[in-house]
Amino acid sequence: MSLLDVENVTMQFGGLTAVKDFNLRLEKGEIVALIGPNGAGKTTAFNTITGVYKPTKGRITFKGKNITGLRPDQITRLGIARTFQNIRLFKDLSVLDNVLIANHVHIKSNFMEAVLKLPGYRKEERAMRQKSLMLLEKVGLADLKDEKSNSLPYGKQRRLEIARALATDPTVLLLDEPAAGMNPKEAEDLTHFIRQIRDEYNLTIFMIEHHMDVVMEISQRIYVLDYGVTIAHGSPVEIQNNQRVIEAYLGVEENA
Amino acid sequence: MNKKRNAILTIISILLLALFLVYANNFLDIYVVRILNVCAIYTILGLSLNLVNGFTGLFSLGHAGFMAVGAYTTALLTMSPAVKKQIFYMAPLIKPLDAITLPFPAALIAGGVLAALAAYIIGAPTLRLKGDYLAIATLGFGEIIRVIFTNTQNITNGALGLKGIPATTNLWWSFGTAAFTLVVLMSLINSSYGRALKAIREDEIAAESMGVSLFFHKNLSFIIGAFFAGIGGGLLGNLLGTIDPKQFNFLFTFNILLIVVLGGMGSFTGTIISAFIITIANEVLRFLDESIDLGFIVFNGKLGLRAVVFSALLMVVVLFYSQGLMGTSEFSWDRLFDKSRWGRIFQRKPLEKGGTDQ
């Protein structure tokens, strides 16, 4: 049994089918990429897995449990975390607070204990802070912990988003265009970073990415979407030589 | 060292406030004491509305409804059976209520709990709405409460209102409750649950994806806000001595909203400062409603001119100073003694670090 199983998921918005019969299997420890031209439905596929959208049809199983139609917070609690294509940090809050909020999902004390600052809650709060600082250290933002998150430069905001996602203790991490807007050197660093966190936190990573260097370098398998349909699936080498993928990206040659 | 200094300053301030209250209680005239009471009660109402509007980002306008629930509950539970019999002459008060009299604190808590219950009932369906839609739904709820209270003759005495409510509220009750409210809400906001509320304000989608249950936390904020609004309403009823449904119309919510916006959405200390400013200004500007005789010319007073001043003030704040007095920061001794900060303010130098001044 796979860790995450997406079976025949279809997502329709009125008459528009954004994703059609999407199938995905993630095995533990894999890094898998989802690519496709703009508007192919990649982010929609993400949103159905994380519960932002409820799929019109199909079934999503995570660790053997049916999670179709659960709310995003319930899915996060089960161990699927994500980042966003257009960075969605808590802008007016500090860098540290951004990561602390993600710890809230596993809190055991109820709000009364938190208001009264009972010993059980204090202990939890201390542990949360320690863990958050460690994560910030990991992504190299520890010395910026008190800055407002929207005052960080773009690249650091991306890393903060990853730290925040890691703070929910995920098993599966979904990255939505983590290398967007990065230069080749930064993209290369990111590749190492993703491998590193995968090994360190025993993650399984599923990512949407446009940087082909990153995708080909890092992923074991690749899914290709075009107009909501999965047109190819295979290893990087297979995908690079797949005629339909080339057509989707470069267009079809007119034959007289 | 700063910590020690801050603790000492805090203790001194509290002692000074207590001394002032003793002085006010014994030597100031009833009119001033009453204004101080109203200041403290408006502080409670402002704090509770700020939790919902400022910290959780839920634009709720139903606060007057929760105050009404608290005010009526507390009043009905503290009035003596004889008084109740006397004022309910259109229709007698329903059974157990007509004989019950509870001590003031118990009645206050009962008012808060009932307001919280009302918030739970209204919150479950309406908190799915966002922005303006939530504002309209909660506004409607406030009006519904008012209409219900006008028409349930045998519980609320309808439009006649309640009279002869024991005037139990004094400076100790009002300021004590305000301090209690502040401590509880501050503690909540600085806890993990408070961070979750702020996350919802900043970005609902991101908050939900980070595992914050929107339904639970929005309801939590709404219910706690309503609880303190109910307690504030109870204090107000037992200060004024008479309440009727008309008092708790939308304008009341508007007044509290003005306090919150002026003080800064997301700043409790800002709310306290502006609650005092607004309440005192409301009394100082009373001359606007009366005729002004300048000797050579007489301006005829127009009833409601004060409201015009406050509306203009609100417009100015929203247009030019949308952060309010305090923005989202809180008062602290460190801030007060931070010389470089004052230097910056007076010399208009840009911030040194990080460019947070956007």
Side-chain angles (χ1 to χ4, degrees), chain A residues 203-235:
Chain A
L203 295 173
T204 305
I205 289 172
F206 183 48
M207 59 187 247
I208 295 176
E209 192 43 74
H210 278 300
H211 264 255
M212 283 308 145
D213 299 346
V214 176
V215 171
M216 296 306 165
E217 160 80 25
I218 203 174
S219 31
Q220 280 134 333
R221 289 185 296 125
I222 298 172
Y223 287 81
V224 188
L225 272 187
D226 191 25
Y227 294 110
V229 181
T230 313
I231 56 169
H233 165 219
S235 69

PDB file of all heavy atoms in Angstrom, chain A residues 203-235:
ATOM      1  N   LEU A 203      10.740  12.679   5.084  1.00  0.00           N
ATOM      2  CA  LEU A 203       9.599  13.195   4.347  1.00  0.00           C
ATOM      3  C   LEU A 203       9.421  12.480   3.024  1.00  0.00           C
ATOM      4  O   LEU A 203      10.343  11.855   2.497  1.00  0.00           O
ATOM      5  CB  LEU A 203       9.801  14.688   4.048  1.00  0.00           C
ATOM      6  CG  LEU A 203       9.837  15.638   5.224  1.00  0.00           C
ATOM      7  CD1 LEU A 203      10.216  17.027   4.747  1.00  0.00           C
ATOM      8  CD2 LEU A 203       8.498  15.663   5.910  1.00  0.00           C
ATOM      9  N   THR A 204       8.215  12.610   2.520  1.00  0.00           N
ATOM     10  CA  THR A 204       7.935  12.256   1.142  1.00  0.00           C
ATOM     11  C   THR A 204       7.541  13.573   0.495  1.00  0.00           C
ATOM     12  O   THR A 204       6.741  14.302   1.061  1.00  0.00           O
ATOM     13  CB  THR A 204       6.760  11.267   1.067  1.00  0.00           C
ATOM     14  OG1 THR A 204       7.089  10.163   1.900  1.00  0.00           O
ATOM     15  CG2 THR A 204       6.501  10.809  -0.345  1.00  0.00           C
ATOM     16  N   ILE A 205       8.146  13.892  -0.645  1.00  0.00           N
ATOM     17  CA  ILE A 205       7.911  15.222  -1.201  1.00  0.00           C
ATOM     18  C   ILE A 205       7.253  15.147  -2.558  1.00  0.00           C
ATOM     19  O   ILE A 205       7.641  14.363  -3.432  1.00  0.00           O
ATOM     20  CB  ILE A 205       9.238  16.013  -1.265  1.00  0.00           C
ATOM     21  CG1 ILE A 205       9.672  16.375   0.160  1.00  0.00           C
ATOM     22  CG2 ILE A 205       9.078  17.272  -2.109  1.00  0.00           C
ATOM     23  CD1 ILE A 205      11.032  16.980   0.269  1.00  0.00           C
ATOM     24  N   PHE A 206       6.212  15.941  -2.707  1.00  0.00           N
ATOM     25  CA  PHE A 206       5.504  16.048  -3.974  1.00  0.00           C
ATOM     26  C   PHE A 206       5.518  17.515  -4.341  1.00  0.00           C
ATOM     27  O   PHE A 206       5.079  18.345  -3.560  1.00  0.00           O
ATOM     28  CB  PHE A 206       4.068  15.534  -3.808  1.00  0.00           C
ATOM     29  CG  PHE A 206       3.267  15.542  -5.084  1.00  0.00           C
ATOM     30  CD1 PHE A 206       3.781  15.014  -6.262  1.00  0.00           C
ATOM     31  CD2 PHE A 206       1.977  16.062  -5.097  1.00  0.00           C
ATOM     32  CE1 PHE A 206       3.029  15.015  -7.424  1.00  0.00           C
ATOM     33  CE2 PHE A 206       1.227  16.059  -6.263  1.00  0.00           C
ATOM     34  CZ  PHE A 206       1.746  15.535  -7.435  1.00  0.00           C
ATOM     35  N   MET A 207       6.109  17.841  -5.504  1.00  0.00           N
ATOM     36  CA  MET A 207       6.239  19.262  -5.797  1.00  0.00           C
ATOM     37  C   MET A 207       5.839  19.632  -7.205  1.00  0.00           C
ATOM     38  O   MET A 207       5.979  18.850  -8.148  1.00  0.00           O
ATOM     39  CB  MET A 207       7.672  19.709  -5.539  1.00  0.00           C
ATOM     40  CG  MET A 207       8.722  18.981  -6.358  1.00  0.00           C
ATOM     41  SD  MET A 207      10.345  19.479  -5.768  1.00  0.00           S
ATOM     42  CE  MET A 207      10.925  20.356  -7.171  1.00  0.00           C
ATOM     43  N   ILE A 208       5.299  20.852  -7.301  1.00  0.00           N
ATOM     44  CA  ILE A 208       5.032  21.445  -8.607  1.00  0.00           C
ATOM     45  C   ILE A 208       6.233  22.324  -8.897  1.00  0.00           C
ATOM     46  O   ILE A 208       6.673  23.064  -8.018  1.00  0.00           O
ATOM     47  CB  ILE A 208       3.772  22.336  -8.552  1.00  0.00           C
ATOM     48  CG1 ILE A 208       2.538  21.491  -8.265  1.00  0.00           C
ATOM     49  CG2 ILE A 208       3.614  23.112  -9.857  1.00  0.00           C
ATOM     50  CD1 ILE A 208       1.281  22.322  -8.098  1.00  0.00           C
ATOM     51  N   GLU A 209       6.793  22.216 -10.102  1.00  0.00           N
ATOM     52  CA  GLU A 209       7.941  23.073 -10.387  1.00  0.00           C
ATOM     53  C   GLU A 209       8.053  23.335 -11.874  1.00  0.00           C
ATOM     54  O   GLU A 209       7.734  22.481 -12.695  1.00  0.00           O
ATOM     55  CB  GLU A 209       9.219  22.430  -9.831  1.00  0.00           C
ATOM     56  CG  GLU A 209      10.425  23.321  -9.799  1.00  0.00           C
ATOM     57  CD  GLU A 209      10.127  24.735  -9.320  1.00  0.00           C
ATOM     58  OE1 GLU A 209       9.907  24.899  -8.123  1.00  0.00           O
ATOM     59  OE2 GLU A 209      10.100  25.668 -10.155  1.00  0.00           O
ATOM     60  N   HIS A 210       8.489  24.532 -12.205  1.00  0.00           N
ATOM     61  CA  HIS A 210       8.700  24.885 -13.606  1.00  0.00           C
ATOM     62  C   HIS A 210      10.181  24.819 -13.990  1.00  0.00           C
ATOM     63  O   HIS A 210      10.505  24.647 -15.146  1.00  0.00           O
ATOM     64  CB  HIS A 210       8.161  26.285 -13.893  1.00  0.00           C
ATOM     65  CG  HIS A 210       6.694  26.305 -14.126  1.00  0.00           C
ATOM     66  ND1 HIS A 210       6.093  25.601 -15.138  1.00  0.00           N
ATOM     67  CD2 HIS A 210       5.687  26.919 -13.461  1.00  0.00           C
ATOM     68  CE1 HIS A 210       4.786  25.795 -15.099  1.00  0.00           C
ATOM     69  NE2 HIS A 210       4.509  26.586 -14.084  1.00  0.00           N
ATOM     70  N   HIS A 211      11.060  25.001 -12.994  1.00  0.00           N
ATOM     71  CA  HIS A 211      12.498  24.937 -13.265  1.00  0.00           C
ATOM     72  C   HIS A 211      12.862  23.517 -13.650  1.00  0.00           C
ATOM     73  O   HIS A 211      12.917  22.630 -12.803  1.00  0.00           O
ATOM     74  CB  HIS A 211      13.261  25.287 -11.980  1.00  0.00           C
ATOM     75  CG  HIS A 211      13.677  26.712 -11.916  1.00  0.00           C
ATOM     76  ND1 HIS A 211      14.966  27.119 -12.119  1.00  0.00           N
ATOM     77  CD2 HIS A 211      12.971  27.825 -11.663  1.00  0.00           C
ATOM     78  CE1 HIS A 211      15.029  28.425 -11.996  1.00  0.00           C
ATOM     79  NE2 HIS A 211      13.835  28.885 -11.710  1.00  0.00           N
ATOM     80  N   MET A 212      13.109  23.254 -14.929  1.00  0.00           N
ATOM     81  CA  MET A 212      13.359  21.885 -15.360  1.00  0.00           C
ATOM     82  C   MET A 212      14.661  21.329 -14.778  1.00  0.00           C
ATOM     83  O   MET A 212      14.763  20.137 -14.500  1.00  0.00           O
ATOM     84  CB  MET A 212      13.384  21.812 -16.894  1.00  0.00           C
ATOM     85  CG  MET A 212      11.988  21.852 -17.486  1.00  0.00           C
ATOM     86  SD  MET A 212      10.909  20.613 -16.734  1.00  0.00           S
ATOM     87  CE  MET A 212       9.373  21.486 -16.727  1.00  0.00           C
ATOM     88  N   ASP A 213      15.650  22.232 -14.554  1.00  0.00           N
ATOM     89  CA  ASP A 213      16.908  21.759 -13.951  1.00  0.00           C
ATOM     90  C   ASP A 213      16.621  21.123 -12.603  1.00  0.00           C
ATOM     91  O   ASP A 213      17.102  20.027 -12.286  1.00  0.00           O
ATOM     92  CB  ASP A 213      17.870  22.941 -13.735  1.00  0.00           C
ATOM     93  CG  ASP A 213      18.221  23.617 -15.046  1.00  0.00           C
ATOM     94  OD1 ASP A 213      17.929  23.008 -16.086  1.00  0.00           O
ATOM     95  OD2 ASP A 213      18.766  24.739 -15.005  1.00  0.00           O
ATOM     96  N   VAL A 214      15.834  21.830 -11.818  1.00  0.00           N
ATOM     97  CA  VAL A 214      15.507  21.331 -10.485  1.00  0.00           C
ATOM     98  C   VAL A 214      14.740  20.022 -10.595  1.00  0.00           C
ATOM     99  O   VAL A 214      15.072  19.026  -9.957  1.00  0.00           O
ATOM    100  CB  VAL A 214      14.669  22.374  -9.703  1.00  0.00           C
ATOM    101  CG1 VAL A 214      14.238  21.817  -8.362  1.00  0.00           C
ATOM    102  CG2 VAL A 214      15.445  23.666  -9.532  1.00  0.00           C
ATOM    103  N   VAL A 215      13.709  20.026 -11.428  1.00  0.00           N
ATOM    104  CA  VAL A 215      12.832  18.860 -11.548  1.00  0.00           C
ATOM    105  C   VAL A 215      13.622  17.624 -11.966  1.00  0.00           C
ATOM    106  O   VAL A 215      13.525  16.556 -11.347  1.00  0.00           O
ATOM    107  CB  VAL A 215      11.709  19.146 -12.570  1.00  0.00           C
ATOM    108  CG1 VAL A 215      10.920  17.880 -12.860  1.00  0.00           C
ATOM    109  CG2 VAL A 215      10.797  20.239 -12.054  1.00  0.00           C
ATOM    110  N   MET A 216      14.420  17.760 -13.014  1.00  0.00           N
ATOM    111  CA  MET A 216      15.137  16.604 -13.558  1.00  0.00           C
ATOM    112  C   MET A 216      16.204  16.101 -12.577  1.00  0.00           C
ATOM    113  O   MET A 216      16.482  14.921 -12.496  1.00  0.00           O
ATOM    114  CB  MET A 216      15.789  16.969 -14.899  1.00  0.00           C
ATOM    115  CG  MET A 216      14.775  17.317 -15.978  1.00  0.00           C
ATOM    116  SD  MET A 216      13.538  16.001 -16.193  1.00  0.00           S
ATOM    117  CE  MET A 216      12.284  16.852 -17.126  1.00  0.00           C
ATOM    118  N   GLU A 217      16.778  17.039 -11.864  1.00  0.00           N
ATOM    119  CA  GLU A 217      17.849  16.698 -10.933  1.00  0.00           C
ATOM    120  C   GLU A 217      17.321  15.934  -9.712  1.00  0.00           C
ATOM    121  O   GLU A 217      17.933  14.974  -9.254  1.00  0.00           O
ATOM    122  CB  GLU A 217      18.526  18.016 -10.494  1.00  0.00           C
ATOM    123  CG  GLU A 217      19.324  17.966  -9.215  1.00  0.00           C
ATOM    124  CD  GLU A 217      20.697  17.367  -9.414  1.00  0.00           C
ATOM    125  OE1 GLU A 217      21.194  17.439 -10.558  1.00  0.00           O
ATOM    126  OE2 GLU A 217      21.250  16.837  -8.438  1.00  0.00           O
ATOM    127  N   ILE A 218      16.184  16.362  -9.227  1.00  0.00           N
ATOM    128  CA  ILE A 218      15.786  15.931  -7.890  1.00  0.00           C
ATOM    129  C   ILE A 218      14.750  14.811  -7.887  1.00  0.00           C
ATOM    130  O   ILE A 218      14.722  13.978  -6.982  1.00  0.00           O
ATOM    131  CB  ILE A 218      15.255  17.161  -7.109  1.00  0.00           C
ATOM    132  CG1 ILE A 218      15.362  16.934  -5.605  1.00  0.00           C
ATOM    133  CG2 ILE A 218      13.831  17.476  -7.479  1.00  0.00           C
ATOM    134  CD1 ILE A 218      14.979  18.157  -4.828  1.00  0.00           C
ATOM    135  N   SER A 219      13.867  14.760  -8.891  1.00  0.00           N
ATOM    136  CA  SER A 219      12.720  13.856  -8.736  1.00  0.00           C
ATOM    137  C   SER A 219      13.004  12.465  -9.250  1.00  0.00           C
ATOM    138  O   SER A 219      13.733  12.269 -10.227  1.00  0.00           O
ATOM    139  CB  SER A 219      11.482  14.448  -9.429  1.00  0.00           C
ATOM    140  OG  SER A 219      11.841  15.226 -10.530  1.00  0.00           O
ATOM    141  N   GLN A 220      12.406  11.493  -8.588  1.00  0.00           N
ATOM    142  CA  GLN A 220      12.516  10.112  -9.020  1.00  0.00           C
ATOM    143  C   GLN A 220      11.478   9.807 -10.081  1.00  0.00           C
ATOM    144  O   GLN A 220      11.708   9.034 -10.990  1.00  0.00           O
ATOM    145  CB  GLN A 220      12.328   9.176  -7.824  1.00  0.00           C
ATOM    146  CG  GLN A 220      13.591   9.050  -7.000  1.00  0.00           C
ATOM    147  CD  GLN A 220      13.309   9.165  -5.524  1.00  0.00           C
ATOM    148  OE1 GLN A 220      12.353   9.792  -5.095  1.00  0.00           O
ATOM    149  NE2 GLN A 220      14.165   8.548  -4.736  1.00  0.00           N
ATOM    150  N   ARG A 221      10.319  10.434  -9.910  1.00  0.00           N
ATOM    151  CA  ARG A 221       9.263  10.236 -10.903  1.00  0.00           C
ATOM    152  C   ARG A 221       8.630  11.578 -11.202  1.00  0.00           C
ATOM    153  O   ARG A 221       8.667  12.494 -10.383  1.00  0.00           O
ATOM    154  CB  ARG A 221       8.191   9.274 -10.377  1.00  0.00           C
ATOM    155  CG  ARG A 221       8.670   7.831 -10.297  1.00  0.00           C
ATOM    156  CD  ARG A 221       7.554   6.907  -9.894  1.00  0.00           C
ATOM    157  NE  ARG A 221       7.057   7.182  -8.554  1.00  0.00           N
ATOM    158  CZ  ARG A 221       5.779   7.419  -8.285  1.00  0.00           C
ATOM    159  NH1 ARG A 221       4.881   7.443  -9.246  1.00  0.00           N
ATOM    160  NH2 ARG A 221       5.397   7.640  -7.039  1.00  0.00           N
ATOM    161  N   ILE A 222       8.032  11.676 -12.391  1.00  0.00           N
ATOM    162  CA  ILE A 222       7.407  12.928 -12.795  1.00  0.00           C
ATOM    163  C   ILE A 222       6.024  12.639 -13.382  1.00  0.00           C
ATOM    164  O   ILE A 222       5.854  11.668 -14.129  1.00  0.00           O
ATOM    165  CB  ILE A 222       8.276  13.656 -13.858  1.00  0.00           C
ATOM    166  CG1 ILE A 222       9.635  14.010 -13.259  1.00  0.00           C
ATOM    167  CG2 ILE A 222       7.567  14.911 -14.366  1.00  0.00           C
ATOM    168  CD1 ILE A 222      10.621  14.554 -14.263  1.00  0.00           C
ATOM    169  N   TYR A 223       5.064  13.452 -12.999  1.00  0.00           N
ATOM    170  CA  TYR A 223       3.744  13.398 -13.628  1.00  0.00           C
ATOM    171  C   TYR A 223       3.607  14.647 -14.492  1.00  0.00           C
ATOM    172  O   TYR A 223       4.039  15.723 -14.092  1.00  0.00           O
ATOM    173  CB  TYR A 223       2.633  13.408 -12.579  1.00  0.00           C
ATOM    174  CG  TYR A 223       2.498  12.119 -11.812  1.00  0.00           C
ATOM    175  CD1 TYR A 223       3.330  11.836 -10.740  1.00  0.00           C
ATOM    176  CD2 TYR A 223       1.506  11.200 -12.158  1.00  0.00           C
ATOM    177  CE1 TYR A 223       3.202  10.651 -10.031  1.00  0.00           C
ATOM    178  CE2 TYR A 223       1.364  10.018 -11.448  1.00  0.00           C
ATOM    179  CZ  TYR A 223       2.211   9.746 -10.381  1.00  0.00           C
ATOM    180  OH  TYR A 223       2.060   8.578  -9.691  1.00  0.00           O
ATOM    181  N   VAL A 224       3.016  14.504 -15.667  1.00  0.00           N
ATOM    182  CA  VAL A 224       2.833  15.667 -16.531  1.00  0.00           C
ATOM    183  C   VAL A 224       1.348  15.886 -16.776  1.00  0.00           C
ATOM    184  O   VAL A 224       0.637  14.971 -17.213  1.00  0.00           O
ATOM    185  CB  VAL A 224       3.548  15.485 -17.887  1.00  0.00           C
ATOM    186  CG1 VAL A 224       3.506  16.793 -18.670  1.00  0.00           C
ATOM    187  CG2 VAL A 224       4.978  15.028 -17.680  1.00  0.00           C
ATOM    188  N   LEU A 225       0.882  17.087 -16.467  1.00  0.00           N
ATOM    189  CA  LEU A 225      -0.525  17.435 -16.680  1.00  0.00           C
ATOM    190  C   LEU A 225      -0.618  18.394 -17.856  1.00  0.00           C
ATOM    191  O   LEU A 225       0.228  19.257 -18.033  1.00  0.00           O
ATOM    192  CB  LEU A 225      -1.092  18.150 -15.451  1.00  0.00           C
ATOM    193  CG  LEU A 225      -1.694  17.373 -14.295  1.00  0.00           C
ATOM    194  CD1 LEU A 225      -2.318  18.358 -13.322  1.00  0.00           C
ATOM    195  CD2 LEU A 225      -2.739  16.386 -14.763  1.00  0.00           C
ATOM    196  N   ASP A 226      -1.657  18.238 -18.652  1.00  0.00           N
ATOM    197  CA  ASP A 226      -1.956  19.214 -19.685  1.00  0.00           C
ATOM    198  C   ASP A 226      -3.469  19.290 -19.821  1.00  0.00           C
ATOM    199  O   ASP A 226      -4.129  18.279 -19.994  1.00  0.00           O
ATOM    200  CB  ASP A 226      -1.304  18.800 -21.010  1.00  0.00           C
ATOM    201  CG  ASP A 226      -1.380  19.923 -22.027  1.00  0.00           C
ATOM    202  OD1 ASP A 226      -1.476  21.101 -21.598  1.00  0.00           O
ATOM    203  OD2 ASP A 226      -1.340  19.618 -23.236  1.00  0.00           O
ATOM    204  N   TYR A 227      -4.024  20.491 -19.738  1.00  0.00           N
ATOM    205  CA  TYR A 227      -5.481  20.671 -19.728  1.00  0.00           C
ATOM    206  C   TYR A 227      -6.176  19.710 -18.773  1.00  0.00           C
ATOM    207  O   TYR A 227      -7.192  19.114 -19.108  1.00  0.00           O
ATOM    208  CB  TYR A 227      -6.040  20.516 -21.139  1.00  0.00           C
ATOM    209  CG  TYR A 227      -5.565  21.607 -22.058  1.00  0.00           C
ATOM    210  CD1 TYR A 227      -4.670  21.341 -23.082  1.00  0.00           C
ATOM    211  CD2 TYR A 227      -6.005  22.925 -21.863  1.00  0.00           C
ATOM    212  CE1 TYR A 227      -4.216  22.357 -23.915  1.00  0.00           C
ATOM    213  CE2 TYR A 227      -5.552  23.935 -22.686  1.00  0.00           C
ATOM    214  CZ  TYR A 227      -4.662  23.657 -23.712  1.00  0.00           C
ATOM    215  OH  TYR A 227      -4.226  24.659 -24.514  1.00  0.00           O
ATOM    216  N   GLY A 228      -5.601  19.507 -17.597  1.00  0.00           N
ATOM    217  CA  GLY A 228      -6.254  18.690 -16.584  1.00  0.00           C
ATOM    218  C   GLY A 228      -6.072  17.192 -16.776  1.00  0.00           C
ATOM    219  O   GLY A 228      -6.493  16.403 -15.935  1.00  0.00           O
ATOM    220  N   VAL A 229      -5.457  16.772 -17.870  1.00  0.00           N
ATOM    221  CA  VAL A 229      -5.304  15.344 -18.149  1.00  0.00           C
ATOM    222  C   VAL A 229      -3.847  14.951 -17.934  1.00  0.00           C
ATOM    223  O   VAL A 229      -2.934  15.677 -18.330  1.00  0.00           O
ATOM    224  CB  VAL A 229      -5.719  15.030 -19.606  1.00  0.00           C
ATOM    225  CG1 VAL A 229      -5.590  13.539 -19.883  1.00  0.00           C
ATOM    226  CG2 VAL A 229      -7.143  15.507 -19.849  1.00  0.00           C
ATOM    227  N   THR A 230      -3.623  13.799 -17.293  1.00  0.00           N
ATOM    228  CA  THR A 230      -2.269  13.323 -17.106  1.00  0.00           C
ATOM    229  C   THR A 230      -1.781  12.742 -18.432  1.00  0.00           C
ATOM    230  O   THR A 230      -2.271  11.698 -18.878  1.00  0.00           O
ATOM    231  CB  THR A 230      -2.231  12.225 -16.029  1.00  0.00           C
ATOM    232  OG1 THR A 230      -2.998  12.684 -14.917  1.00  0.00           O
ATOM    233  CG2 THR A 230      -0.822  11.930 -15.583  1.00  0.00           C
ATOM    234  N   ILE A 231      -0.854  13.438 -19.084  1.00  0.00           N
ATOM    235  CA  ILE A 231      -0.433  12.961 -20.409  1.00  0.00           C
ATOM    236  C   ILE A 231       0.793  12.071 -20.325  1.00  0.00           C
ATOM    237  O   ILE A 231       1.097  11.355 -21.271  1.00  0.00           O
ATOM    238  CB  ILE A 231      -0.179  14.133 -21.390  1.00  0.00           C
ATOM    239  CG1 ILE A 231       0.853  15.103 -20.828  1.00  0.00           C
ATOM    240  CG2 ILE A 231      -1.478  14.841 -21.737  1.00  0.00           C
ATOM    241  CD1 ILE A 231       1.335  16.111 -21.854  1.00  0.00           C
ATOM    242  N   ALA A 232       1.514  12.108 -19.218  1.00  0.00           N
ATOM    243  CA  ALA A 232       2.678  11.229 -19.106  1.00  0.00           C
ATOM    244  C   ALA A 232       3.036  11.019 -17.654  1.00  0.00           C
ATOM    245  O   ALA A 232       2.679  11.801 -16.787  1.00  0.00           O
ATOM    246  CB  ALA A 232       3.860  11.827 -19.856  1.00  0.00           C
ATOM    247  N   HIS A 233       3.763   9.973 -17.391  1.00  0.00           N
ATOM    248  CA  HIS A 233       4.177   9.623 -16.041  1.00  0.00           C
ATOM    249  C   HIS A 233       5.387   8.728 -16.149  1.00  0.00           C
ATOM    250  O   HIS A 233       5.367   7.743 -16.879  1.00  0.00           O
ATOM    251  CB  HIS A 233       3.021   8.920 -15.326  1.00  0.00           C
ATOM    252  CG  HIS A 233       3.457   8.221 -14.073  1.00  0.00           C
ATOM    253  ND1 HIS A 233       2.952   7.005 -13.712  1.00  0.00           N
ATOM    254  CD2 HIS A 233       4.348   8.574 -13.127  1.00  0.00           C
ATOM    255  CE1 HIS A 233       3.530   6.620 -12.584  1.00  0.00           C
ATOM    256  NE2 HIS A 233       4.366   7.559 -12.209  1.00  0.00           N
ATOM    257  N   GLY A 234       6.489   9.073 -15.488  1.00  0.00           N
ATOM    258  CA  GLY A 234       7.650   8.209 -15.576  1.00  0.00           C
ATOM    259  C   GLY A 234       8.887   8.862 -14.989  1.00  0.00           C
ATOM    260  O   GLY A 234       8.798   9.903 -14.342  1.00  0.00           O
ATOM    261  N   SER A 235      10.045   8.246 -15.247  1.00  0.00           N
ATOM    262  CA  SER A 235      11.294   8.773 -14.727  1.00  0.00           C
ATOM    263  C   SER A 235      11.680  10.020 -15.524  1.00  0.00           C
ATOM    264  O   SER A 235      11.179  10.234 -16.636  1.00  0.00           O
ATOM    265  CB  SER A 235      12.384   7.720 -14.863  1.00  0.00           C
ATOM    266  OG  SER A 235      12.688   7.550 -16.228  1.00  0.00           O
TER     267      SER A 235
END
